[in-house]
Amino acid sequence: MKKIILASNNQGKIKEFNAMLSGIYQVVSMQDMQVEEVPETGLTFVENALIKARNASMVSGLPALADDSGIVVDALGGRPGIYSARYANHHGDDKANMQKLLDEMAMMVDGARSARFWCAIVFVEHENDPTPIIIQRGWEGEILREKMGDNGFGYDPIFYVPTHNCASAELSPVEKNKISHRGKALSALLKILKKNQ
């Protein structure tokens, strides 16, 4: 089976991607290939995903897959956006990031709490691939007033999913992968990758 490197050290993401790519690619992580994280200097989700994918491919010599995703809150002018993972100034501190967002949204009335998770997935065959595959998908919802559920990671416990009347963290991983921003983006990417194999 062909190996592909996922340009992430986020265990939640690695688990999700492995489940979705099972049988098509053997996913290896940056840690497996001794790839250091690279500064995300882009101004958009797509730019950051490309930076990560090209770096992972350059160091590992493998085709690379990277995603950049986050939560976009309308009442906050799109924040946290590309800064979602480091919103509270500590990269990957889910609790602190969620608390900061809850505090900022505390005075927002129902009806003014709309948000979406956004995901840009990029696939490169090699570091200088001039035609990367780029897929973007969103997942509409609202910001809850308190945490609910134990599944998922990141902002899942405070993201309300209207279609399922629950928090994202209350969905099973299988159900989440069917309807989430990342699940939809990855399934669109898989269709393209299968065609190109």
Side-chain angles (χ1 to χ4, degrees), residues 7 18 20 22 30 34 41 45 47 56 61 82 96-97 120 176 184:
N18 255 317
M20 290 189 250
S22 170
M30 287 174 36
Q34 282 85 50
T41 54
F45 291 113
E47 288 173 14
I82 60 169
N97 290 334
K176 182 188 171 191
K184 289 187 282 192

Side-chain angles (χ1 to χ4, degrees), residues 19-36:
M20 290 189 250
L21 290 166
S22 170
I24 299 159
Y25 281 101
Q26 181 192 343
V27 181
V28 295
S29 70
M30 287 174 36
Q31 204 171 1
D32 298 333
M33 303 298 291
Q34 282 85 50
V35 176
E36 296 290 318

Side-chain angles (χ1 to χ4, degrees), residues 4-5 15-16 19 42 49 57 70 83 85 89 98 103 111-112 118-119 126 130 140 142 151 177 186 195:
I4 186 171
I5 184 165
K15 211 169 163 180
E16 279 184 11
S57 186
Y83 305 106
N89 298 322
M98 266 191 291
D103 292 347
W118 193 258
C119 174
H126 52 82
E140 298 294 323
E142 294 166 25
N151 294 332
N177 287 345
L186 191 51
K195 250 189 237 169

Side-chain angles (χ1 to χ4, degrees), residues 108-182:
M108 294 293 166
V109 296
D110 294 347
R113 303 178 71 84
S114 59
R116 71 208 43 82
F117 274 123
W118 193 258
C119 174
I121 287 187
V122 169
F123 173 85
V124 294
E125 276 291 344
H126 52 82
E127 66 172 295
N128 297 313
D129 189 341
T131 56
I133 299 169
I134 299 169
I135 310 273
Q136 296 192 77
R137 292 292 185 271
W139 187 21
E140 298 294 323
E142 294 166 25
I143 302 300
L144 289 162
R145 294 185 180 279
E146 58 187 37
K147 299 173 197 168
M148 296 169 73
D150 300 313
N151 294 332
F153 61 97
Y155 295 87
D156 284 339
I158 61 169
F159 184 75
Y160 176 72
V161 184
T163 54
H164 289 62
N165 194 27
C166 67
S168 172
E170 293 177 295
L171 295 168
S172 72
V174 171
E175 190 60 35
K176 182 188 171 191
N177 287 345
K178 281 184 202 163
I179 63 172
S180 76
H181 54 313
R182 191 173 296 110

Side-chain angles (χ1 to χ4, degrees), residues 21-94:
L21 290 166
S22 170
I24 299 159
Y25 281 101
Q26 181 192 343
V27 181
V28 295
S29 70
M30 287 174 36
Q31 204 171 1
D32 298 333
M33 303 298 291
Q34 282 85 50
V35 176
E36 296 290 318
E37 285 199 9
V38 66
E40 294 176 29
T41 54
L43 298 177
T44 65
F45 291 113
V46 171
E47 288 173 14
N48 283 335
L50 270 169
I51 289 167
K52 293 189 277 192
R54 291 195 189 285
N55 176 66
S57 186
M58 177 184 73
V59 176
S60 69
L62 294 171
L65 189 58
D67 94 302
D68 198 48
S69 48
I71 195 161
V72 176
V73 181
D74 295 320
L76 301 178
R79 284 185 290 119
I82 60 169
Y83 305 106
S84 294
R86 51 191 184 277
Y87 198 42
N89 298 322
H90 303 289
H91 196 281
D93 187 341
D94 290 350

